[in-house]
Amino acid sequence: MSKKPSGRKCTSERKTKETEIRIVIDPDSKGEVSIKTTLPFFDHILTAMAFHGGFSLSISAKGDTDVDPHHLVEDTGIVLGDVLNKIVSEHGPVARFGNAMIPMDDSLAEVVIDVCGRPYLIYKCSYPQPFAGQFDISLLKEFFVGLATHAKINIHAGTRYGENSHHLAEALFKALGKAIFQAYTLKNGSLPESMSTKGTIA
């Protein structure tokens, strides 16, 4: 019987003149999901990401949203990337690849991840409405840029089709959660070099 992974809970924080963010993730526990960013739709899709990904996630974020939510959304991606990078740097090799395609009514979205040490983002997403509630959908790309860069991973994210921006964004984040769960599954008994034929992902 394989040993249940434990002790990979990681925390990352970022405090600037624009934002203050703290994220705690436990990739091995389907426990509490607590998302508080002051942006209701952002809370909604981040909650869906963790719930359907099957991991514990706590996000506490506040910032200068009276100016523009841009900084808060981008920096949340940065801090989530930092904490995912810690999982590998502090706890060793992971499965590396993850992918998911998720439907939501009229919409279909897909996310593919490679935990390879090389940041790269392909973001092929289009949305028929510019807003979901009061949330500017264009900010989602900034989240993904911060995430890919600071997690040091490849992300290919795309919306196949859809008629509703809310559905497309929610499907995208559910797919992201499932891809994260797959990619960051503990690779039991492996040495770090086992993640690449080059012997390193650094």
Side-chain angles (χ1 to χ4, degrees), residues 128-162:
Q129 297 88 32
F131 286 85
Q134 301 299 312
F135 186 86
D136 182 354
I137 292 290
S138 71
L139 296 179
L140 295 182
K141 183 176 181 180
E142 306 308 318
F143 170 87
F144 275 90
V145 170
L147 175 60
T149 302
H150 284 256
K152 299 179 181 178
I153 61 179
N154 279 194
I155 303 177
H156 291 243
T159 53
R160 294 289 186 97
Y161 47 77

Coordinates of all heavy atoms in Angstrom, one line a residue, residues 128-162:
P128 N -17.5 36.4 -25.0 CA -18.5 37.2 -25.7 C -18.9 38.5 -25.0 O -19.3 39.5 -25.6 CB -19.7 36.3 -25.9 CG -19.5 35.2 -24.9 CD -18.1 35.1 -24.7
Q129 N -18.9 38.5 -23.7 CA -19.2 39.6 -22.9 C -18.0 40.1 -22.1 O -17.2 39.3 -21.6 CB -20.3 39.4 -21.9 CG -21.7 39.0 -22.5 CD -21.8 37.5 -22.7 OE1 -21.3 36.7 -22.0 NE2 -22.5 37.1 -23.8
P130 N -17.7 41.4 -22.0 CA -16.5 41.9 -21.4 C -16.5 41.8 -19.9 O -15.4 41.8 -19.2 CB -16.4 43.3 -21.8 CG -17.8 43.7 -22.2 CD -18.4 42.5 -22.7
F131 N -17.7 41.6 -19.3 CA -17.8 41.6 -17.8 C -18.6 40.4 -17.4 O -19.5 39.9 -18.1 CB -18.4 42.8 -17.3 CG -17.6 44.1 -17.3 CD1 -17.5 44.8 -18.5 CD2 -16.8 44.4 -16.2 CE1 -16.6 45.9 -18.5 CE2 -16.0 45.5 -16.2 CZ -15.9 46.3 -17.4
A132 N -18.3 39.8 -16.2 CA -19.1 38.9 -15.5 C -19.5 39.6 -14.2 O -18.7 39.8 -13.3 CB -18.4 37.6 -15.2
G133 N -20.8 40.0 -14.1 CA -21.1 40.9 -13.0 C -20.4 42.2 -13.2 O -20.5 42.8 -14.3
Q134 N -19.6 42.6 -12.2 CA -18.8 43.8 -12.2 C -17.4 43.5 -12.5 O -16.5 44.4 -12.5 CB -18.9 44.5 -10.9 CG -20.3 44.9 -10.5 CD -20.9 45.9 -11.5 OE1 -20.3 46.9 -11.9 NE2 -22.2 45.6 -11.9
F135 N -17.1 42.2 -12.8 CA -15.7 41.8 -13.0 C -15.2 41.9 -14.4 O -15.9 41.3 -15.3 CB -15.5 40.4 -12.5 CG -14.0 39.9 -12.5 CD1 -13.2 40.2 -11.4 CD2 -13.5 39.2 -13.5 CE1 -11.9 39.7 -11.4 CE2 -12.2 38.7 -13.5 CZ -11.4 39.0 -12.5
D136 N -14.1 42.6 -14.7 CA -13.5 42.7 -16.0 C -12.8 41.4 -16.4 O -11.8 41.1 -15.9 CB -12.6 43.9 -16.0 CG -12.0 44.2 -17.4 OD1 -12.2 43.4 -18.3 OD2 -11.2 45.2 -17.5
I137 N -13.4 40.7 -17.3 CA -12.9 39.4 -17.7 C -11.5 39.5 -18.3 O -10.7 38.5 -18.2 CB -13.9 38.7 -18.8 CG1 -15.2 38.4 -18.1 CG2 -13.3 37.5 -19.4 CD1 -15.1 37.2 -17.1
S138 N -11.1 40.6 -18.9 CA -9.8 40.7 -19.5 C -8.7 40.6 -18.4 O -7.5 40.2 -18.8 CB -9.6 42.1 -20.2 OG -9.6 43.1 -19.3
L139 N -9.0 40.8 -17.2 CA -8.0 40.7 -16.1 C -7.6 39.2 -15.9 O -6.5 39.0 -15.3 CB -8.6 41.2 -14.8 CG -8.9 42.7 -14.8 CD1 -9.5 43.1 -13.4 CD2 -7.6 43.6 -15.1
L140 N -8.3 38.3 -16.3 CA -8.0 36.9 -16.1 C -6.6 36.5 -16.8 O -5.9 35.7 -16.2 CB -9.1 35.9 -16.6 CG -10.4 36.0 -15.9 CD1 -11.4 35.0 -16.5 CD2 -10.2 35.8 -14.4
K141 N -6.3 37.1 -17.9 CA -5.0 36.9 -18.5 C -3.9 37.3 -17.6 O -2.9 36.6 -17.5 CB -4.9 37.6 -19.9 CG -3.6 37.2 -20.6 CD -3.5 37.8 -22.0 CE -2.2 37.4 -22.6 NZ -2.0 38.0 -24.0
E142 N -4.1 38.4 -16.9 CA -3.0 38.9 -16.0 C -2.8 37.9 -14.9 O -1.7 37.7 -14.4 CB -3.4 40.3 -15.5 CG -3.7 41.3 -16.5 CD -2.6 41.5 -17.6 OE1 -1.4 41.4 -17.2 OE2 -3.0 41.6 -18.8
F143 N -3.9 37.3 -14.4 CA -3.7 36.3 -13.4 C -2.9 35.1 -13.9 O -2.0 34.6 -13.2 CB -5.1 35.8 -13.0 CG -5.1 34.6 -12.1 CD1 -5.0 34.7 -10.8 CD2 -5.2 33.3 -12.7 CE1 -5.0 33.5 -10.0 CE2 -5.2 32.2 -11.9 CZ -5.1 32.3 -10.5
F144 N -3.2 34.7 -15.1 CA -2.5 33.5 -15.7 C -1.0 33.9 -16.0 O -0.1 33.0 -15.8 CB -3.1 33.1 -17.0 CG -4.2 32.1 -16.7 CD1 -5.6 32.5 -16.5 CD2 -4.0 30.7 -16.7 CE1 -6.6 31.6 -16.3 CE2 -5.0 29.8 -16.4 CZ -6.3 30.2 -16.2
V145 N -0.7 35.1 -16.4 CA 0.7 35.5 -16.6 C 1.5 35.5 -15.3 O 2.6 34.9 -15.2 CB 0.7 37.0 -17.1 CG1 2.2 37.5 -17.1 CG2 0.2 37.0 -18.6
G146 N 0.9 36.0 -14.2 CA 1.5 36.0 -12.9 C 1.7 34.5 -12.4 O 2.8 34.2 -11.9
L147 N 0.7 33.7 -12.6 CA 0.8 32.3 -12.2 C 1.9 31.5 -12.9 O 2.7 30.9 -12.3 CB -0.6 31.6 -12.4 CG -0.7 30.1 -12.1 CD1 -0.4 29.8 -10.7 CD2 -2.1 29.6 -12.5
A148 N 1.9 31.6 -14.2 CA 2.9 30.9 -15.0 C 4.3 31.3 -14.7 O 5.2 30.5 -14.5 CB 2.6 31.0 -16.5
T149 N 4.5 32.7 -14.6 CA 5.8 33.2 -14.4 C 6.4 32.8 -13.0 O 7.5 32.4 -12.9 CB 5.8 34.7 -14.5 OG1 5.3 35.1 -15.8 CG2 7.2 35.4 -14.3
H150 N 5.6 32.9 -12.0 CA 6.1 32.7 -10.6 C 6.1 31.2 -10.2 O 6.9 30.8 -9.4 CB 5.4 33.5 -9.6 CG 5.8 35.0 -9.7 ND1 6.6 35.5 -8.7 CD2 5.6 35.9 -10.6 CE1 6.9 36.8 -9.0 NE2 6.3 37.0 -10.2
A151 N 5.2 30.4 -10.8 CA 5.3 28.9 -10.6 C 6.4 28.3 -11.4 O 6.7 27.2 -11.2 CB 3.9 28.3 -10.9
K152 N 6.9 29.0 -12.4 CA 7.9 28.5 -13.4 C 7.4 27.3 -14.1 O 8.0 26.3 -14.2 CB 9.2 28.2 -12.6 CG 9.8 29.4 -11.9 CD 11.1 29.1 -11.2 CE 11.6 30.3 -10.5 NZ 12.9 30.0 -9.7
I153 N 6.2 27.5 -14.7 CA 5.5 26.4 -15.4 C 5.0 26.9 -16.8 O 4.9 28.1 -17.0 CB 4.3 25.8 -14.6 CG1 3.2 26.9 -14.4 CG2 4.8 25.2 -13.3 CD1 2.0 26.4 -13.6
N154 N 4.8 25.9 -17.6 CA 4.1 26.1 -18.9 C 2.6 26.0 -18.6 O 2.2 25.0 -18.0 CB 4.4 25.1 -19.9 CG 5.8 25.3 -20.7 OD1 6.0 24.7 -21.7 ND2 6.6 26.2 -20.2
I155 N 1.8 27.0 -19.1 CA 0.4 26.8 -19.1 C -0.2 27.1 -20.5 O 0.1 28.1 -21.1 CB -0.3 27.8 -18.1 CG1 0.2 27.7 -16.7 CG2 -1.8 27.6 -18.1 CD1 -0.3 28.7 -15.7
H156 N -1.0 26.2 -21.0 CA -1.7 26.4 -22.2 C -3.2 26.4 -21.8 O -3.7 25.4 -21.3 CB -1.4 25.3 -23.2 CG -0.1 25.4 -23.8 ND1 0.2 25.6 -25.1 CD2 1.1 25.2 -23.2 CE1 1.5 25.6 -25.3 NE2 2.1 25.4 -24.1
A157 N -3.8 27.6 -21.9 CA -5.2 27.8 -21.5 C -6.0 28.2 -22.7 O -5.6 29.1 -23.4 CB -5.3 28.8 -20.4
G158 N -7.2 27.6 -22.9 CA -8.0 28.0 -24.0 C -9.5 27.8 -23.8 O -9.9 26.9 -23.1
T159 N -10.3 28.6 -24.4 CA -11.7 28.4 -24.5 C -12.1 27.9 -25.9 O -11.7 28.6 -26.8 CB -12.5 29.7 -24.2 OG1 -12.0 30.8 -25.0 CG2 -12.3 30.1 -22.7
R160 N -12.7 26.8 -25.9 CA -13.0 26.2 -27.2 C -14.2 26.9 -27.9 O -14.2 27.3 -29.0 CB -13.4 24.7 -27.1 CG -12.2 23.8 -26.6 CD -11.2 23.6 -27.7 NE -10.2 22.7 -27.4 CZ -10.2 21.4 -27.7 NH1 -11.2 20.9 -28.4 NH2 -9.2 20.6 -27.4
Y161 N -15.2 27.1 -27.1 CA -16.4 27.8 -27.6 C -17.3 28.1 -26.4 O -17.1 27.6 -25.3 CB -17.2 27.0 -28.6 CG -17.5 25.6 -28.3 CD1 -18.4 25.2 -27.4 CD2 -16.7 24.6 -28.9 CE1 -18.7 23.9 -27.0 CE2 -16.9 23.3 -28.5 CZ -17.9 22.9 -27.6 OH -18.1 21.6 -27.3
G162 N -18.3 29.0 -26.6 CA -19.2 29.4 -25.5 C -19.9 30.7 -25.8 O -19.5 31.5 -26.6

